[in-house]
Amino acid sequence: MTREEDIKKAVEVLKKGGVILYPTDTVWGIGCDATNEEAVKRVYQIKKREDSKALICLVDSDARLQRYVRQVPDVAWQLIDSLSEGNVKPTTLILDGAVNLAPNLIAEDGSIALRITQEPFSKELCYRFQKALVSTSANISGQPAAQNYCDIVPELLGAVDYVCWSRRQEHKPHQPSSIIRLKADGEVSIIRK
């Protein structure tokens, strides 16, 4: 299957409210339409995770990021610019004022965790889907994240609607993203290095 066909199939499943497993710029992810409350609920159920623990979303561009945050602080743009310039570890930003997303995806304080992916497959998938995509590690809550396809437990493979074919043969170390919390007042805190 070509990458193009794989992405097309994944997008079809996402548009119907389905849940997918897919390779990202970090570890393998469980994904769904970040605006679909029922799909997000299924992701929490599949992961056996409390819905009080927020999930990360992936987007393909600055423009798409702006659709989901009321006011992106200047410090966020400075950070995004510096991240896109060099060979920097993928970084997720937690921003205040989440909008246009499933309510069960937004943290109690109104924030959302978003990352602009630069990895070719997930970037193209987000671009073709035209919406934010949930991206939580492909594991049962509390277990190790699946760095590669071969690390995904059979229980997860059977619980989703589609498993992407791209990068299944890969065997190399991948790490979760860094997470930085940026408050509207400019306060910056590192949640995960």
Side-chain angles (χ1 to χ4, degrees):
M1 179 181 287
T2 67
R3 188 172 91 178
E4 199 66 33
E5 291 168 332
D6 199 14
I7 287 171
K8 188 177 177 191
K9 178 67 178 159
V11 168
E12 285 170 15
V13 170
L14 292 165
K15 285 183 175 175
K16 292 177 184 164
V19 176
I20 66 169
L21 283 169
Y22 67 109
T24 75
D25 53 342
T26 58
V27 296
W28 269 70
I30 302 174
C32 72
D33 177 348
T35 67
N36 182 324
E37 190 170 358
E38 283 305 308
V40 171
K41 186 176 171 184
R42 267 193 66 210
V43 170
Y44 279 114
Q45 290 167 344
I46 289 168
K47 276 189 72 85
K48 299 180 180 166
R49 183 173 177 164
E50 298 168 36
D51 64 8
S52 60
K53 292 187 174 182
L55 302 174
I56 291 171
C57 294
L58 281 189
V59 292
D60 63 315
S61 65
D62 297 0
R64 190 110 42 226
L65 179 116
Q66 290 182 80
R67 287 190 194 173
Y68 302 110
V69 179
R70 206 170 275 116
Q71 178 74 42
V72 180
D74 288 341
V75 68
W77 293 124
Q78 292 165 13
L79 194 55
I80 288 165
D81 287 345
S82 70
L83 292 171
S84 62
E85 284 170 11
N87 188 7
V88 182
K89 182 178 179 182
T91 301
T92 300
L93 303 179
I94 300 176
L95 301 167
D96 291 328
V99 291
N100 305 319
L101 292 163
N104 53 347
L105 201 53
I106 299 170
E108 286 179 18
D109 65 1
S111 67
I112 188 67
L114 288 162
R115 184 168 74 250
I116 300 171
T117 179
Q118 300 301 332
E119 184 272 329
F121 182 85
S122 53
K123 189 174 185 78
E124 179 79 4
L125 179 61
C126 289
Y127 175 74
R128 296 277 173 217
F129 186 51
Q130 295 283 299
K131 290 184 190 177
L133 196 58
V134 165
S135 181
T136 182
S137 56
N139 62 323
I140 304 296
S141 197
Q143 294 180 359
Q147 292 185 37
N148 296 286
Y149 171 76
C150 61
D151 303 321
I152 301 170
V153 295
E155 182 182 348
L156 282 184
L157 294 170
V160 300
D161 304 302
Y162 183 69
V163 182
C164 290
W165 287 90
S166 298
R167 291 180 47 202
R168 281 195 188 187
Q169 304 308 318
E170 199 172 87
H171 292 281
K172 61 184 190 181
H174 294 279
Q175 296 178 323
S177 67
S178 298
I179 300 177
I180 299 176
R181 174 81 166 94
L182 301 176
K183 294 209 169 174
D185 63 6
E187 184 188 326
V188 177
S189 41
I190 295 170
I191 309 295
R192 181 171 71 198
K193 280 192 173 190

